[in-house]
Amino acid sequence: MSLLTRIFKKSPNPLPPPPPPREEAPKARPTAKTAGQHKPEQLGGQALSGVRQIIAVASGKGGVGKSTSAVNLAYCLIALGYKVGLLDADIYGPSLAIMTGVGNPEEMQGALVVPPIHQGIKMISVAMFASASSAQILRGPMAGNMIKQFLTNVAWGELDYLLIDYPPGTGDIQLTISQTASLAGAIMITSPQEIALADVRKAIAMFGTLKVPVLGIIETMSYFICDSCDKKHFIFTQGGGAKLAAEFALPLLGQIPLAAEITASSDEGKPLSLHRTSSPAAQAYRAAAEQCLSELGRLSQQNTAALGSFTLHWKQ
């Protein structure tokens, strides 16, 4: 029985207990030492078999609007007619439940936890298994193991896209996801200032090392539009996202304005792209989502073309 299953069956909202220090992995799963030697689909098994593409939403930096972007992009994809799932992989600072108002899981499907559905999106987060004021005091391998179980012990079903809201940094959790799931691409989130760009560069380098294509850059807090003058004011300097995109030869997928309505919608659990679709910020997220899909399509065509053709010659 997995850690996630034990947590779910014990109580609908408990603190996750630490596993025994020398507990062995179930026979159906590889050990941490051999995880990288298995194909991602072998680890995902039944849980991920119906997921067409998995997309990372990452930044390497905290406080740049990554989770807000992940949530709004997910609702944009739903509005475009796709089946979408959203995994909150930020073990130490989960925000999915607050931003959406989603409830907790209430049933099992065999050995898999059935994720709650909010406005058409299947969601899972560590916040669903702990009280709101509890800190997740977990070492890196334990946090990585929990994320692995969010991927492999949750009944994701048939999805076009599973978005994973990455935590800041380039450590165990990020490596675990790349070993467990076959990522179609990563969307990088940054704000314009150099202090943010420095960490996003490291995250882009990490994805390069892991052979995960980066789909492009979304710049948040790009500008503020004054109520009285309708002029764009660049509070956090101008052009950081474009600079980063040019540096790595990546597309700039979108520029999201700095707006009070983004903060208010997140705090109220009413995502902008669901409840205020006509706002400039929601429209910017919609355009960014469409650009992401275009990049995925372009990568798919490239991969198909790269396969080429071959001829088999049989020896008598």
Side-chain angles (χ1 to χ4, degrees), residues 46-266:
Q46 180 185 355
L48 293 176
S49 62
V51 179
R52 191 162 66 90
Q53 290 186 305
I54 303 175
I55 303 171
V57 181
S59 66
K61 181 75 174 177
V64 297
K66 173 183 52 59
S67 295
T68 301
S69 296
V71 167
N72 280 283
L73 289 171
Y75 282 108
C76 288
L77 291 173
I78 282 286
L80 290 168
Y82 296 100
K83 296 178 181 179
V84 182
L86 183 56
L87 191 164
D88 184 356
D90 196 342
I91 293 291
Y92 305 109
S95 51
L96 180 61
I98 295 175
M99 289 185 174
T100 64
V102 66
N104 295 330
E106 296 181 353
E107 60 180 302
M108 300 286 293
Q109 180 180 305
L112 304 179
V113 174
V114 177
I117 299 176
H118 184 268
Q119 299 293 334
I121 301 178
K122 295 179 180 180
M123 302 182 179
I124 204 74
S125 170
V126 69
M128 298 173 181
F129 303 92
S131 62
S133 59
S134 299
Q136 301 303 315
I137 306 173
L138 299 171
R139 294 187 183 276
M142 292 174 65
N145 183 52
M146 183 171 288
I147 289 300
K148 182 186 294 185
Q149 293 186 27
F150 281 162
L151 284 164
T152 62
N153 293 107
V154 172
W156 290 110
E158 297 292 325
L159 295 177
D160 294 307
Y161 302 105
L162 174 60
L163 271 59
I164 302 180
D165 179 13
Y166 267 48
T170 55
D172 285 319
I173 293 176
Q174 290 83 355
L175 293 174
T176 295
I177 295 172
S178 67
Q179 290 178 336
T180 307
S182 179
L183 296 175
I187 301 168
M188 305 307 302
I189 312 296
T190 187
S191 50
Q193 65 270 47
E194 183 58 39
I195 196 67
L197 302 180
D199 286 340
V200 179
R201 288 186 181 97
K202 297 172 186 175
I204 293 174
M206 176 194 72
F207 283 116
T209 300
L210 298 173
K211 309 301 182 185
V212 175
V214 175
L215 302 178
I217 310 290
I218 293 179
E219 182 186 78
T220 59
M221 304 180 235
S222 296
Y223 53 85
F224 171 75
I225 298 180
C226 179
D227 293 337
S228 58
C229 68
D230 290 331
K231 180 182 178 181
K232 290 183 179 180
H233 299 272
F234 299 95
I235 308 297
F236 298 108
T237 72
Q238 182 179 1
K243 172 185 174 183
L244 190 66
E247 182 178 333
F248 288 93
L250 295 169
L252 181 63
L253 301 172
Q255 292 177 298
I256 315 300
L258 178 65
E261 60 186 359
I262 298 178
T263 303
S265 65
S266 296

